[in-house]
Amino acid sequence: MRCLFQLFQTKNIMGVKNKTQVTVFEFSGLTDDKLVALFLFLLFLMVYIVAVLGNIGMMAMVHISPSLHTPMYYLLRYLSMVDLFYSSVVTPKMLSDLLSERKLITFMGCTLQFYFFCALAGTEILVLSVMAYDRYVAICHPLHYVSVMTNKKCLSLVILSFFIGFVQSVAQTSSLFSLEFCDSNLIDHFYCDIPPLARLSCSKIHTCTIVTLFFGGSCCLSSMTIILVSYIFIMNSVLRINSASGRRKAFSTCSSHVICSTIFYVAVVCAYYHPSSSTLKTQEKVSSVFYTVVTPMLNPLIYSLRNQEVKKNIIRLLQKRSHSHI
């Protein structure tokens, strides 16, 4: 990440100042205007409620609907579970801070927030790549789909995604919070993240930069590679289908995943892959809000609105519910 490289160069020039380690951090938050803060609180509270209900609803629907007991929806259920926890790591604290005069978090609280945020973000990236592989097998090798994407294999891939996500987070969290924070305790952000914390450090961040680039870059690049390669093969297979209806059907099974993956990666790139500049800190916060708060809400909505099988099951469940009240 370019911003981390520039931070490293800055830290090499700076001398080490006061050695008193910070025990409590304070966030600058999203805004200092109370009216704007109240508006954002109501807006993001609604977004968070929709995210929680949407992801729980998606998991429940996949569980109780026999027609959704396929590998694609099995993986979607785990994506919803990751989104549910992922949004809950940052959003409740952010909502509380919007109504608070001082936005404080302890050193340990900051460490735990970053650890679970980093772990779940890494897991989400990897689950999205597993879902791309699932679509590749379904479209490019339809006759072998059932034998390749077994429940056991799906579970193994999900467990591997969680394992890698949480292990890489251990490495990034250890390297970040082994730094000394002895100059200021004001984090110019609304949650604990690498760039604003690195800017606060009064020690050299060379090791932290290398660890972050290696683990964060490896997860992102490997996932993006799997997704891009899968869709190159998918496009090649779909274009060979003679009937227009067959092509539309094949594309429709992939469109929800493509949209969710694109939104997530665009937000991440906008938040992290930019030059370190004070004029871009607002962009960094906006992008961070999008992929920490908004994206977990959008995923179940996108799958609900664009996936015909999910829409059919939602209508069927609503009809059953209305008949039961008659």
Side-chain angles (χ1 to χ4, degrees):
M1 297 177 187
R2 292 177 63 187
C3 56
L4 286 177
F5 276 126
Q6 291 185 15
L7 280 171
F8 167 59
Q9 292 172 355
T10 302
K11 297 300 177 183
N12 276 336
I13 298 172
M14 292 172 58
V16 177
K17 299 181 181 180
N18 181 18
K19 286 288 185 177
T20 304
Q21 181 73 358
V22 170
T23 57
V24 177
F25 291 108
E26 183 173 0
F27 296 123
S28 64
L30 293 171
T31 181
D32 294 324
D33 189 308
K34 290 186 178 181
L35 287 177
V36 174
L38 181 59
F39 169 75
L40 291 177
F41 171 81
L42 295 174
L43 174 64
F44 292 137
L45 177 62
M46 185 169 58
V47 169
Y48 181 59
I49 290 172
V50 173
V52 170
L53 294 178
N55 285 297
I56 290 176
M58 183 64 72
M59 289 188 289
M61 185 174 61
V62 172
H63 180 72
I64 65 178
S65 302
S67 62
L68 299 182
H69 291 175
T70 62
M72 175 181 173
Y73 298 106
Y74 181 86
L75 295 171
L76 177 58
R77 183 171 65 177
Y78 281 102
L79 179 66
S80 294
M81 184 177 72
V82 173
D83 279 332
L84 177 62
F85 293 124
Y86 177 63
S87 62
S88 298
V89 171
V90 173
T91 310
K93 173 61 177 169
M94 182 194 71
L95 290 172
S96 173
D97 287 343
L98 283 169
L99 300 180
S100 303
E101 288 292 332
R102 299 193 66 189
K103 306 162 181 60
L104 302 176
I105 188 170
T106 64
F107 185 90
M108 181 55 67
C110 191
T111 305
L112 290 173
Q113 186 188 62
F114 175 79
Y115 171 73
F116 284 107
F117 165 76
C118 183
L120 291 166
T123 302
E124 170 134 352
I125 286 170
L126 295 169
V127 170
L128 286 171
S129 64
V130 172
M131 293 175 77
Y133 172 72
D134 168 76
R135 292 298 82 207
Y136 157 74
V137 177
I139 294 174
C140 298
H141 304 284
L143 298 178
H144 303 286
Y145 181 61
V146 176
S147 60
V148 173
M149 295 302 294
T150 61
N151 287 339
K152 184 177 179 181
K153 185 170 184 179
C154 288
L155 181 60
S156 299
L157 290 172
V158 169
I159 291 173
L160 180 63
S161 298
F162 273 89
F163 176 77
I164 294 173
F166 278 79
V167 168
Q168 63 87 26
S169 184
V170 170
Q172 293 202 59
T173 305
S174 299
S175 65
L176 178 61
F177 287 92
S178 62
L179 299 175
E180 292 179 328
F181 302 96
C182 47
D183 184 22
S184 171
N185 71 333
L186 181 63
I187 299 175
D188 190 14
H189 216 332
F190 62 94
Y191 71 100
C192 296
D193 200 8
I194 292 175
L197 282 167
R199 285 192 285 266
L200 283 185
S201 174
C202 56
S203 56
K204 293 182 179 180
I205 63 170
H206 178 66
T207 301
C208 179
T209 303
I210 292 174
V211 170
T212 299
L213 289 172
F214 176 77
F215 286 99
S218 296
C219 278
C220 287
L221 288 176
S222 60
S223 175
M224 288 180 70
T225 301
I226 292 170
I227 292 172
L228 289 173
V229 171
S230 295
Y231 278 106
I232 288 171
F233 283 111
I234 288 170
M235 287 288 293
N236 188 40
S237 295
V238 170
L239 292 175
R240 291 181 191 173
I241 299 174
N242 294 323
S243 66
S245 60
R247 287 195 294 270
R248 282 197 301 270
K249 184 178 179 182
F251 277 125
S252 68
T253 64
C254 301
S255 60
S256 299
H257 178 265
V258 170
I259 293 170
C260 291
S261 300
T262 302
I263 289 172
F264 187 84
Y265 274 109
V266 168
V268 169
V269 168
C270 290
Y272 292 106
Y273 291 86
H274 60 71
S276 182
S277 169
S278 58
T279 60
L280 293 171
K281 287 180 183 178
T282 301
Q283 175 192 312
E284 185 180 308
K285 289 184 181 181
V286 172
S287 302
S288 296
V289 166
F290 204 80
Y291 79 85
T292 57
V293 181
V294 179
T295 301
M297 176 200 70
L298 290 178
N299 287 347
L301 291 180
I302 290 168
Y303 271 95
S304 299
L305 295 173
R306 296 195 60 85
N307 190 287
Q308 295 298 323
E309 195 65 35
V310 173
K311 282 198 285 189
K312 288 177 184 176
N313 277 274
I314 291 174
I315 294 169
R316 193 179 299 123
L317 289 172
L318 291 174
Q319 288 174 341
K320 283 183 180 180
R321 185 177 178 84
S322 63
H323 288 317
S324 66
H325 286 291
I326 296 175

